[in-house]
Amino acid sequence: MIYLYGALIGIVSGVASGLFGVGGGIVMVPAMVLLLKLHIKTAVGTSLVVIIPTALTGALKHHDLGHVNWRMAVALIPTAMIGGFIGSWLTKPLPAADLKRAFGAFLILVGARLLMFR
């Protein structure tokens, strides 16, 4: 059953990644915590590893479709990498329960913003 859940998480996160530019954090992490019973920190790390080939595949297809602003991407990459390092480093001192709450609050805020504003 764990492999079935894993496959479903993979397909849903892959579709979400290609369609919305999300998948790792928004789909995979909650699904791995709830369905696969992974520790939140393990789910975060695992989703980051899984999202690399997913993001590359989606990025290549979006490039083919003419949907990539390469100048913007190149400008964002260095600071996004620094932010990724800092965020990963912050998971060590943060208790798992606080990380779960912060993640949940982030999802609620982003969801509310998307629903209520243009």
Side-chain angles (χ1 to χ4, degrees):
M1 191 57 132
I2 194 167
Y3 296 108
L4 177 61
Y5 283 154
L8 290 171
I9 292 167
I11 194 73
V12 170
S13 67
V15 170
S17 177
L19 187 60
F20 302 122
V22 300
I26 292 177
V27 175
M28 271 193 224
V29 171
M32 287 191 285
V33 169
L34 297 171
L35 298 175
L36 302 180
K37 307 298 184 215
L38 290 183
H39 187 277
I40 181 94
K41 293 179 183 185
T42 303
V44 168
T46 303
S47 78
L48 288 170
V49 171
V50 172
I51 207 63
I52 294 168
T54 307
L56 285 173
T57 302
L60 290 173
K61 184 59 182 174
H62 277 284
H63 169 74
D64 291 346
L65 297 169
H67 298 161
V68 178
N69 181 329
W70 285 105
R71 291 177 70 145
M72 182 64 68
V74 169
L76 290 171
I77 288 170
T79 53
M81 290 176 69
I82 292 167
F85 178 83
I86 293 168
S88 297
W89 177 78
L90 286 172
T91 63
K92 184 164 177 80
L94 274 176
D98 292 346
L99 186 59
K100 280 184 185 179
R101 282 188 210 92
F103 184 70
F106 173 75
L107 290 177
I108 290 168
L109 289 172
V110 170
R113 171 89 174 138
L114 288 172
L115 287 171
M116 297 187 184
F117 300 101
R118 289 185 161 195

